[in-house]
C-alpha cells in the first residue's frame, strides 16, 4: 500500500480568496449600478427643476418689468427727474433685464441636458468664426481689440452648426469681457487637425484666471471677475456642448497674463481626411 500526501492549504486559501474577491466584485458592481440609477434619477429631477423654474419665473418677471414701465410713464416729470428717482428706476429695469437673461440661459441649459445626440452637418469653421466676428464687431471696435483668425484650409466639421456657433461666440465674447484694462486686447483664434479631433484654440492677453479657480471654471454660476456683466453659465454650456458631442475642453491660464482654451472636437477619421 502506497500513501501519497499533498499539502493543499495554500490552494484552498487561494481559492477562497478568489471566491471572496468575486463576491466582493459582484457586490461592488451592484452598488455602483444602484448609485448610477440614483444619479440618473437625480439628474432627471434636476433637469426638470431647471426647466420648470425657468419657465415659471418668466411670467412674474415680465409682470414686474411691465409695472416698472408703467411707473416710469406715469411718474410726474418733476418727480422722474429727481436725483434719486430716475437712476433708481433705471437700475431696477437693468436688474430685470439681467434676470431675463439668466432665465433664457437656464432654458438653454435645460435643453443641453437632454441633447446627447444633436444633428451634425458639414460645417465650415471659418464661416462660423466670421459670422461671430461680425456680431461682435461693435464690441471689438469699442475695445480697440485685435482679432487674429487662422482657421483656413481645414476640412469641414461634422458638428451641430448652432452649437459650434455657441462655442465660438462664448469664447470670443469672454475674451472681450475679461480684457486687461492696461493693454490693447489681442485675441488669437487658431485650429488644427489632431488624431481623431479638430482642435480649436482661442488665446487672449486678458486678466487670466488664478490657479485656485481653474477647477471650478466650468461650474454653473461661477464668476471670478465681478466688474463685468455675466451669469456664469456660458462656459458651463460650452463644456456641456463639447462633451455631449464626444469631445473635451482644456484651459491654460496665467493670472494677469491671459488665457488659452483648447476645444477638442471629436471627428470621424473620414471627415479629417
Amino acid at each position: 500500500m502506497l500513501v501519497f500526501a499533498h499539502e493543499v492549504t495554500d490552494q484552498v486559501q487561494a481559492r477562497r480568496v478568489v471566491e471572496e474577491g468575486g463576491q466582493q466584485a459582484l457586490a461592488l458592481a451592484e452598488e455602483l449600478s444602484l448609485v448610477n440609477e440614483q444619479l440618473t434619477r437625480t439628474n432627471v429631477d434636476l433637469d426638470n427643476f431647471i426647466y420648470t423654474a425657468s419657465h415659471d419665473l418668466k411670467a412674474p418677471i415680465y409682470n414686474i418689468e411691465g409695472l416698472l414701465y408703467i411707473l416710469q410713464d406715469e411718474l410726474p416729470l418733476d418727480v422722474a427727474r429727481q436725483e434719486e428717482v430716475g437712476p433708481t428706476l433705471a437700475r431696477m429695469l437693468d436688474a430685470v433685464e439681467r434676470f431675463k437673461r439668466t432665465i433664457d440661459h437656464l432654458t438653454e441649459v435645460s435643453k443641453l441636458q437632454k441633447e446627447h445626440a444633436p444633428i451634425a452637418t458639414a460645417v465650415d469653421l471659418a464661416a462660423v468664426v466670421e459670422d461671430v466676428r461680425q456680431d461682435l464687431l461693435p464690441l471689438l471696435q469699442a475695445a480697440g481689440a485685435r482679432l487674429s483668425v487662422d482657421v483656413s484650409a481645414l476640412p469641414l466639421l461634422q458638428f451641430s452648426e448652432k452649437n459650434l456657433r455657441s462655442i465660438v461666440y462664448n469664447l470670443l465674447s469672454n475674451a472681450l469681457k475679461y480684457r486687461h484694462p492696461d493693454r490693447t486686447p489681442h485675441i488669437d483664434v487658431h485650429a488644427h487637425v489632431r488624431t481623431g479631433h479638430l482642435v480649436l484654440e482661442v488665446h487672449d492677453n486678458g486678466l487670466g484666471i488664478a490657479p485656485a479657480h481653474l477647477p471650478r471654471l466650468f461650474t454653473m454660476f461661477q464668476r471670478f471677475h465681478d466688474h463685468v456683466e455675466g451669469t456664469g453659465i456660458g462656459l458651463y454650456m460650452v463644456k456641456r456642448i463639447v462633451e455631449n458631442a464626444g469631445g473635451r475642453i482644456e484651459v491654460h491660464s496665467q493670472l494677469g497674463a491671459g488665457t488659452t482654451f483648447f476645444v477638442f472636437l471629436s471627428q470621424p477619421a473620414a471627415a479629417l481626411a
Side-chain angles (χ1 to χ4, degrees):
M1 180 180 292
L2 298 176
V3 178
F4 297 93
H6 297 282
E7 176 61 56
V8 296
T9 302
D10 290 343
Q11 297 176 14
V12 171
Q13 288 179 343
R15 186 167 61 248
R16 285 177 179 172
V17 169
V18 171
E19 290 174 352
E20 290 174 359
Q23 292 173 353
Q24 291 175 352
L26 181 61
L28 181 59
E30 291 176 351
E31 184 179 350
L32 287 174
S33 177
L34 180 61
V35 170
N36 282 334
E37 289 178 7
Q38 292 173 340
L39 285 174
T40 299
R41 287 196 298 269
T42 300
N43 284 335
V44 170
D45 291 342
L46 180 59
D47 294 346
N48 291 334
F49 170 76
I50 291 174
Y51 176 80
T52 303
S54 60
H55 181 271
D56 291 350
L57 286 171
K58 284 183 178 179
I61 198 64
Y62 277 103
N63 286 340
I64 292 172
E65 183 182 41
L67 291 171
L68 286 173
Y69 279 121
I70 291 173
L71 177 62
Q72 189 178 50
D73 292 339
E74 295 295 329
L75 279 175
L77 191 58
D78 59 328
V79 175
R81 288 177 175 174
Q82 289 181 12
E83 185 178 351
E84 300 268 334
V85 176
T88 300
L89 192 56
R91 285 196 297 271
M92 292 171 70
L93 287 168
D94 184 57
V96 167
E97 192 61 35
R98 290 199 303 274
F99 203 128
K100 286 164 57 181
R101 285 200 300 270
T102 300
I103 291 174
D104 289 340
H105 286 159
L106 283 174
T107 302
E108 291 299 315
V109 167
S110 68
K111 291 178 182 177
L112 278 176
Q113 305 285 46
K114 305 178 191 305
E115 189 182 65
H116 295 287
I119 298 174
T121 58
V123 185
D124 184 355
L125 176 60
V128 171
V129 173
E130 175 59 21
D131 183 53
V132 171
R133 188 188 73 83
Q134 291 293 335
D135 282 353
L136 294 175
L137 193 56
L139 293 176
L140 287 165
Q141 293 173 341
R146 188 199 74 184
L147 174 62
S148 172
V149 178
D150 182 12
V151 295
S152 59
L154 290 169
L156 295 178
L157 269 169
Q158 290 298 317
F159 211 81
S160 162
E161 184 172 359
K162 171 181 69 71
N163 286 353
L164 182 60
R165 190 185 189 285
S166 182
I167 292 169
V168 175
Y169 185 90
N170 273 287
L171 293 181
L172 292 188
S173 60
N174 274 2
L176 284 171
K177 281 182 187 177
Y178 301 111
R179 59 187 181 272
H180 199 286
D182 299 330
R183 54 179 173 258
T184 300
H186 290 177
I187 306 169
D188 297 316
V189 181
H190 304 284
H192 62 274
V193 174
R194 189 178 296 185
T195 305
H197 293 87
L198 189 146
V199 185
L200 172 66
E201 299 181 17
V202 178
H203 171 75
D204 67 61
N205 65 339
L207 294 171
I209 304 161
H213 291 159
L214 288 175
R216 295 181 287 123
L217 182 62
F218 297 101
T219 306
M220 198 185 301
F221 300 122
Q222 285 293 331
R223 298 184 64 226
F224 305 119
H225 300 288
D226 297 327
H227 66 286
V228 295
E229 292 289 341
T231 58
I233 293 178
L235 287 179
Y236 171 85
M237 293 176 62
V238 167
K239 185 172 187 289
R240 193 60 185 258
I241 288 171
V242 173
E243 291 182 347
N244 281 356
R248 71 182 190 277
I249 184 168
E250 299 175 0
V251 58
H252 298 169
S253 187
Q254 183 177 349
L255 187 63
T259 302
T260 302
F261 287 92
F262 300 87
V263 183
F264 293 78
L265 301 173
S266 181
Q267 294 293 293
L272 297 176

Short mmCIF file of all heavy atoms in Angstrom, two decimals, residues 97-121:
data_model
loop_
_atom_site.label_atom_id
_atom_site.label_comp_id
_atom_site.label_asym_id
_atom_site.label_seq_id
_atom_site.Cartn_x
_atom_site.Cartn_y
_atom_site.Cartn_z
N GLU A 97 -33.63 93.12 -16.59
CA GLU A 97 -33.04 92.65 -17.85
C GLU A 97 -32.02 91.54 -17.58
O GLU A 97 -31.96 90.54 -18.32
CB GLU A 97 -32.37 93.83 -18.57
CG GLU A 97 -31.98 93.53 -20.01
CD GLU A 97 -33.16 93.17 -20.88
OE1 GLU A 97 -34.26 93.73 -20.67
OE2 GLU A 97 -32.99 92.31 -21.76
N ARG A 98 -31.21 91.70 -16.53
CA ARG A 98 -30.24 90.65 -16.18
C ARG A 98 -30.96 89.37 -15.77
O ARG A 98 -30.52 88.27 -16.10
CB ARG A 98 -29.32 91.13 -15.07
CG ARG A 98 -28.34 92.22 -15.49
CD ARG A 98 -27.18 92.32 -14.51
NE ARG A 98 -27.63 92.59 -13.16
CZ ARG A 98 -27.87 93.81 -12.66
NH1 ARG A 98 -27.70 94.87 -13.44
NH2 ARG A 98 -28.26 93.96 -11.42
N PHE A 99 -32.05 89.53 -15.04
CA PHE A 99 -32.84 88.38 -14.60
C PHE A 99 -33.39 87.64 -15.82
O PHE A 99 -33.36 86.40 -15.89
CB PHE A 99 -33.99 88.85 -13.71
CG PHE A 99 -34.53 87.80 -12.78
CD1 PHE A 99 -34.65 88.05 -11.43
CD2 PHE A 99 -34.92 86.57 -13.27
CE1 PHE A 99 -35.15 87.08 -10.57
CE2 PHE A 99 -35.43 85.59 -12.42
CZ PHE A 99 -35.54 85.84 -11.08
N LYS A 100 -33.87 88.38 -16.81
CA LYS A 100 -34.41 87.77 -18.02
C LYS A 100 -33.32 86.99 -18.77
O LYS A 100 -33.56 85.90 -19.29
CB LYS A 100 -35.02 88.84 -18.93
CG LYS A 100 -36.36 89.38 -18.43
CD LYS A 100 -36.74 90.67 -19.13
CE LYS A 100 -36.80 90.54 -20.63
NZ LYS A 100 -37.16 91.83 -21.28
N ARG A 101 -32.11 87.55 -18.82
CA ARG A 101 -31.01 86.85 -19.50
C ARG A 101 -30.66 85.55 -18.77
O ARG A 101 -30.39 84.53 -19.41
CB ARG A 101 -29.77 87.75 -19.58
CG ARG A 101 -29.88 88.85 -20.62
CD ARG A 101 -28.49 89.38 -20.99
NE ARG A 101 -27.79 89.93 -19.85
CZ ARG A 101 -27.86 91.20 -19.47
NH1 ARG A 101 -28.62 92.05 -20.14
NH2 ARG A 101 -27.17 91.63 -18.43
N THR A 102 -30.68 85.60 -17.44
CA THR A 102 -30.39 84.39 -16.67
C THR A 102 -31.43 83.32 -16.95
O THR A 102 -31.10 82.14 -17.12
CB THR A 102 -30.36 84.71 -15.16
OG1 THR A 102 -29.34 85.68 -14.90
CG2 THR A 102 -30.07 83.46 -14.35
N ILE A 103 -32.70 83.70 -17.00
CA ILE A 103 -33.77 82.75 -17.28
C ILE A 103 -33.59 82.14 -18.67
O ILE A 103 -33.74 80.93 -18.87
CB ILE A 103 -35.15 83.43 -17.17
CG1 ILE A 103 -35.44 83.78 -15.70
CG2 ILE A 103 -36.26 82.54 -17.72
CD1 ILE A 103 -36.71 84.60 -15.51
N ASP A 104 -33.24 82.97 -19.65
CA ASP A 104 -33.00 82.46 -21.00
C ASP A 104 -31.85 81.46 -21.02
O ASP A 104 -31.92 80.42 -21.69
CB ASP A 104 -32.70 83.61 -21.96
CG ASP A 104 -33.92 84.47 -22.25
OD1 ASP A 104 -35.05 83.99 -22.03
OD2 ASP A 104 -33.74 85.63 -22.68
N HIS A 105 -30.79 81.76 -20.27
CA HIS A 105 -29.65 80.84 -20.22
C HIS A 105 -30.03 79.53 -19.53
O HIS A 105 -29.58 78.46 -19.95
CB HIS A 105 -28.47 81.49 -19.49
CG HIS A 105 -27.80 82.54 -20.30
ND1 HIS A 105 -27.01 83.53 -19.74
CD2 HIS A 105 -27.78 82.78 -21.62
CE1 HIS A 105 -26.55 84.31 -20.69
NE2 HIS A 105 -27.00 83.87 -21.84
N LEU A 106 -30.84 79.62 -18.48
CA LEU A 106 -31.29 78.39 -17.81
C LEU A 106 -32.12 77.53 -18.75
O LEU A 106 -32.03 76.30 -18.72
CB LEU A 106 -32.10 78.75 -16.57
CG LEU A 106 -31.30 79.21 -15.34
CD1 LEU A 106 -32.24 79.68 -14.24
CD2 LEU A 106 -30.41 78.09 -14.83
N THR A 107 -32.92 78.17 -19.58
CA THR A 107 -33.71 77.42 -20.56
C THR A 107 -32.79 76.70 -21.53
O THR A 107 -33.02 75.53 -21.88
CB THR A 107 -34.64 78.37 -21.33
OG1 THR A 107 -35.50 79.04 -20.39
CG2 THR A 107 -35.50 77.59 -22.31
N GLU A 108 -31.73 77.39 -21.96
CA GLU A 108 -30.76 76.76 -22.85
C GLU A 108 -30.05 75.60 -22.17
O GLU A 108 -29.79 74.56 -22.79
CB GLU A 108 -29.73 77.79 -23.33
CG GLU A 108 -30.28 78.84 -24.27
CD GLU A 108 -30.83 78.21 -25.54
OE1 GLU A 108 -30.15 77.32 -26.10
OE2 GLU A 108 -31.93 78.59 -25.96
N VAL A 109 -29.73 75.76 -20.89
CA VAL A 109 -29.07 74.68 -20.14
C VAL A 109 -29.97 73.46 -20.07
O VAL A 109 -29.53 72.32 -20.27
CB VAL A 109 -28.70 75.15 -18.72
CG1 VAL A 109 -28.32 73.97 -17.84
CG2 VAL A 109 -27.55 76.14 -18.77
N SER A 110 -31.26 73.67 -19.79
CA SER A 110 -32.19 72.54 -19.70
C SER A 110 -32.29 71.81 -21.03
O SER A 110 -32.44 70.58 -21.08
CB SER A 110 -33.57 73.01 -19.25
OG SER A 110 -34.20 73.80 -20.24
N LYS A 111 -32.17 72.54 -22.14
CA LYS A 111 -32.17 71.89 -23.46
C LYS A 111 -30.89 71.07 -23.65
O LYS A 111 -30.93 69.96 -24.18
CB LYS A 111 -32.29 72.94 -24.56
CG LYS A 111 -33.64 73.64 -24.62
CD LYS A 111 -33.64 74.70 -25.71
CE LYS A 111 -34.96 75.45 -25.76
NZ LYS A 111 -34.93 76.54 -26.77
N LEU A 112 -29.76 71.64 -23.23
CA LEU A 112 -28.49 70.94 -23.39
C LEU A 112 -28.45 69.65 -22.58
O LEU A 112 -27.85 68.66 -23.01
CB LEU A 112 -27.34 71.83 -22.94
CG LEU A 112 -26.84 72.86 -23.94
CD1 LEU A 112 -25.76 73.72 -23.30
CD2 LEU A 112 -26.28 72.18 -25.17
N GLN A 113 -29.07 69.65 -21.40
CA GLN A 113 -29.05 68.46 -20.56
C GLN A 113 -29.68 67.27 -21.28
O GLN A 113 -29.33 66.12 -21.04
CB GLN A 113 -29.82 68.71 -19.25
CG GLN A 113 -29.34 69.91 -18.46
CD GLN A 113 -28.03 69.66 -17.73
OE1 GLN A 113 -27.10 69.12 -18.30
NE2 GLN A 113 -27.95 70.05 -16.49
N LYS A 114 -30.63 67.56 -22.15
CA LYS A 114 -31.33 66.49 -22.85
C LYS A 114 -30.73 66.21 -24.23
O LYS A 114 -31.11 65.24 -24.88
CB LYS A 114 -32.81 66.87 -23.01
CG LYS A 114 -33.50 67.22 -21.70
CD LYS A 114 -34.94 67.64 -21.95
CE LYS A 114 -35.58 68.25 -20.70
NZ LYS A 114 -35.51 67.40 -19.53
N GLU A 115 -29.82 67.04 -24.69
CA GLU A 115 -29.31 66.95 -26.05
C GLU A 115 -28.02 66.15 -26.09
O GLU A 115 -26.93 66.68 -26.04
CB GLU A 115 -29.06 68.36 -26.61
CG GLU A 115 -28.73 68.37 -28.09
CD GLU A 115 -28.45 69.76 -28.60
OE1 GLU A 115 -27.44 70.35 -28.15
OE2 GLU A 115 -29.22 70.27 -29.42
N HIS A 116 -28.14 64.82 -26.18
CA HIS A 116 -26.95 63.98 -26.21
C HIS A 116 -26.55 63.61 -27.63
O HIS A 116 -25.46 63.12 -27.86
CB HIS A 116 -27.19 62.70 -25.40
CG HIS A 116 -27.40 62.97 -23.93
ND1 HIS A 116 -26.36 63.33 -23.10
CD2 HIS A 116 -28.50 62.94 -23.17
CE1 HIS A 116 -26.82 63.51 -21.88
NE2 HIS A 116 -28.11 63.29 -21.89
N ALA A 117 -27.42 63.80 -28.59
CA ALA A 117 -27.10 63.46 -29.98
C ALA A 117 -27.65 64.53 -30.92
O ALA A 117 -28.59 64.29 -31.67
CB ALA A 117 -27.68 62.09 -30.32
N PRO A 118 -27.08 65.74 -30.87
CA PRO A 118 -27.56 66.80 -31.76
C PRO A 118 -27.27 66.44 -33.22
O PRO A 118 -26.36 65.67 -33.52
CB PRO A 118 -26.74 68.02 -31.33
CG PRO A 118 -25.51 67.45 -30.71
CD PRO A 118 -25.93 66.17 -30.06
N ILE A 119 -28.07 66.99 -34.10
CA ILE A 119 -27.90 66.71 -35.53
C ILE A 119 -26.62 67.36 -36.02
O ILE A 119 -26.43 68.57 -35.93
CB ILE A 119 -29.12 67.23 -36.32
CG1 ILE A 119 -30.40 66.53 -35.86
CG2 ILE A 119 -28.91 67.03 -37.81
CD1 ILE A 119 -31.65 67.08 -36.47
N ALA A 120 -25.72 66.53 -36.56
CA ALA A 120 -24.44 67.02 -37.07
C ALA A 120 -24.52 67.17 -38.58
O ALA A 120 -25.06 66.31 -39.28
CB ALA A 120 -23.31 66.06 -36.69
N THR A 121 -23.98 68.27 -39.07
CA THR A 121 -23.89 68.50 -40.51
C THR A 121 -22.47 68.95 -40.83
O THR A 121 -21.67 69.22 -39.92
CB THR A 121 -24.89 69.59 -40.96
OG1 THR A 121 -24.62 70.80 -40.23
CG2 THR A 121 -26.33 69.15 -40.69
#
